[in-house]
Amino acid sequence: MRKLSAVLAIAVMVGLAVSARAEILKREPAMGSLKPGQTVLVDDGTCPKGQVKEVTGGDHQKVGGKHQLERQRRCVAR
């Protein structure tokens, strides 16, 4: 019974690890489609080789939001 519980626990952890892997988009999502703080990876060719763009959603008043939180972009290793 203990071995079965251990096997099930390992299976659940592996499943969670696979589902947590980030999807890499080909283009940046439209303004307003990301929640504040939500992060996506974008491979649109704007970052150096071996890196992808990490985009973090904002909520800026200029685009209809309620705060002064602008969308952030940076290049990160794949």
Side-chain angles (χ1 to χ4, degrees), residues 1 46 52 72:
M1 186 68 163
T46 58
V52 293
Q72 302 293 311

Side-chain angles (χ1 to χ4, degrees), residues 19-50:
S19 66
R21 205 171 103 209
E23 177 184 357
I24 299 177
L25 306 175
K26 291 291 181 189
R27 58 187 156 135
E28 207 172 301
M31 286 295 186
S33 63
L34 290 178
K35 295 177 185 175
Q38 180 182 358
T39 301
V40 295
L41 298 176
V42 180
D43 187 9
D44 60 1
T46 58
C47 290
K49 189 174 182 175

Side-chain angles (χ1 to χ4, degrees), residues 45-56:
T46 58
C47 290
K49 189 174 182 175
Q51 295 185 343
V52 293
K53 183 168 34 174
E54 180 184 75
V55 181
T56 303

Side-chain angles (χ1 to χ4, degrees), residues 31-39 55-61 63-72:
M31 286 295 186
S33 63
L34 290 178
K35 295 177 185 175
Q38 180 182 358
T39 301
V55 181
T56 303
D59 189 30
H60 202 275
Q61 292 172 345
V63 291
K66 300 175 184 172
H67 306 287
Q68 294 291 336
L69 183 62
E70 293 189 26
R71 182 177 275 196
Q72 302 293 311

